[in-house]
Amino acid sequence: MMAAAARAGAGAGAGAVVALLLLTMIAMPPPAEAHLQIGAYNETCPQAEEVVLKEMTAMVGKSPDLAGAVLRLFSVDCFVGGCEASILLDSTANSTAEKDAPLNKGVGGYEAVDAIKAKLDAACPGVVSCADTLALAARDSVRLSKGPFIPLPTGRRDGNRSVAADVALNSPAPGATIADIIALFATKFNLTAKDVAVLSGAHTIGKARCSAVSPRLYNFGGQKGASDPTLDASYTATLRGECKPGDNATLVNLDPTTPTVFDTNYYALVAGKRGLLSTDAALLLDPTTKAYVSSQANATSPDQFFADFAASFVAMSKLGALTHHNGEIRQACSKINPPSSANAAAAARSRRHLTATAGLLATLAVALVL
């Protein structure tokens, strides 16, 4: 840009150079918005993280499986449009939302987020976003399942787009290989093969519907009655006892040994060909992910996995996050905010700014010609 300005100055004079530089400055994007940061609510709602932990502790105490559901809900949100609570929005008469996409039929935990958000708004009205409510609840799901405490940056705001069709566009296609999954993570999310293996470790807690595993149990590869040969035979028999043909609703544990404990047992299961999902089994088909599975399956301590998961979780939590003046703080997590006088005033200010800018651009355009 500077070189172009210098060339323009040589032909049009110093006045045109100044005008062009001003035009360039106006055309440049605004400075980067504020970043996520640890303790973003220290001044505006200092009790925010304590409220989330208290509520999650009570709910997980009554229903331990909720931890896995909330953790999955957060990851589903982040991988479609970023961590901006789009998964929480309800469908409308004109648009089917992400939560109603076929791939999200088994996702749960919405009521928990709504309940926590209500408590936060009672303490600090309109301060904590739904996106941060979900992020902190997911973080505490790990902690309450005897996993690591993860220092999590906050300051996310809520988006207003939730379209069911976006889910498939940001998910591995049917029949995707581990290479496809790693490529998807790299190109769309800037995450590595190691991140794939580490974040898959979230399957150490939670459940999946029989619809997710039945293709491995019956008619595998289009052959009637065939099962996936990469699945341990005794485990196949056990799963067939839990998931009868045509049963899409029953829930089975992702980690049948320690289903509510965040540990490395998941990797031992995958290494022993007892990973529940096809994506779990696929980790053994790539050198990097296989090596990570092997290292954690044989680890004498969960410390390395805990450190790796904390790092990958934070990286995931920053995907597409809206901050500062981007997005909004939803009053209800299931709906975008209705128009308000404040929003209308902001829109009016924006229009006046655009009008003034257009006038200045016109003046500068004349100056460039003279």
Side-chain angles (χ1 to χ4, degrees):
M1 289 183 178
M2 294 298 291
R7 288 194 297 272
V17 174
V18 173
L20 183 56
L21 287 173
L22 288 172
L23 182 60
T24 300
M25 291 171 65
I26 292 173
M28 289 174 65
E33 299 287 356
H35 295 294
L36 300 178
Q37 59 183 349
I38 299 292
Y41 297 108
N42 283 353
E43 294 184 5
T44 56
C45 189
Q47 66 270 53
E49 296 194 24
E50 180 183 345
V51 169
V52 177
L53 178 59
K54 179 181 178 180
E55 295 305 309
M56 280 298 295
T57 299
M59 288 187 283
V60 171
K62 294 178 181 178
S63 179
D65 290 335
L66 179 65
V70 171
L71 182 55
R72 181 187 178 194
L73 181 63
F74 181 55
S75 64
V76 168
D77 180 48
C78 289
F79 287 127
V80 180
C83 309
E84 29 67 277
S86 56
I87 187 64
L88 305 179
L89 287 170
D90 286 341
S91 295
T92 66
N94 299 319
S95 177
T96 303
E98 292 171 24
K99 65 168 57 175
D100 293 321
L103 290 174
N104 286 338
K105 289 299 184 182
V107 177
Y110 300 104
E111 296 83 1
V113 178
D114 288 339
I116 296 170
K117 180 64 160 64
K119 292 289 186 178
L120 287 167
D121 280 344
C124 311
V127 174
V128 183
S129 67
C130 296
D132 271 341
T133 302
L134 175 54
L136 290 169
R139 184 271 298 274
D140 289 341
S141 293
V142 174
R143 180 184 189 179
L144 293 170
S145 301
K146 300 182 180 179
F149 171 73
I150 303 172
L152 187 69
T154 49
R156 298 168 189 78
R157 291 172 68 88
D158 303 322
N160 57 15
R161 172 189 170 86
S162 186
V163 179
D166 291 345
V167 176
L169 294 176
N170 291 277
S171 304
T177 65
I178 185 62
D180 296 329
I181 295 171
I182 290 172
L184 176 72
F185 268 58
T187 57
K188 281 188 173 291
F189 313 124
N190 196 32
L191 296 174
T192 67
K194 180 182 177 181
D195 289 317
V196 172
V198 171
L199 292 172
S200 294
H203 291 175
T204 185
I205 59 174
K207 296 177 180 286
R209 292 184 183 272
C210 282
S211 56
V213 68
S214 288
R216 304 186 71 194
L217 306 178
Y218 309 100
N219 305 316
F220 185 76
Q223 299 180 31
K224 187 175 181 179
S227 61
D228 186 346
T230 67
L231 191 62
D232 176 76
S234 62
Y235 190 37
T236 297
T238 299
L239 289 172
R240 282 181 168 179
E242 297 183 65
C243 297
K244 302 299 184 182
D247 177 4
N248 294 322
T250 299
L251 296 171
V252 292
N253 290 316
L254 287 160
D255 175 353
T257 309
T258 54
T260 60
V261 179
F262 198 92
D263 56 20
T264 58
N265 191 63
Y266 163 79
Y267 293 107
L269 292 170
V270 173
K273 298 183 179 181
R274 296 170 68 89
L276 181 68
L277 306 178
S278 58
T279 52
D280 298 325
L283 295 177
L284 298 176
L285 303 178
D286 173 81
T288 299
T289 56
K290 181 179 180 179
Y292 193 82
V293 168
S294 178
S295 69
Q296 296 310 312
N298 296 296
T300 57
S301 164
D303 291 351
Q304 186 60 57
F305 169 53
F306 283 4
D308 291 339
F309 189 84
S312 293
F313 183 87
V314 170
M316 179 183 75
S317 80
K318 295 179 180 179
L319 294 175
L322 302 175
T323 58
H324 201 40
H325 296 301
N326 292 322
E328 62 184 13
I329 306 296
R330 280 191 222 136
Q331 298 169 15
C333 291
S334 61
K335 298 176 177 62
I336 61 174
N337 291 341
S340 66
S341 57
N343 291 339
R349 288 194 299 272
S350 178
R351 286 194 296 272
R352 288 195 297 271
H353 172 73
L354 290 174
T355 300
T357 300
L360 181 55
L361 287 174
T363 302
L364 290 174
V366 172
L368 287 173
V369 175
L370 296 176

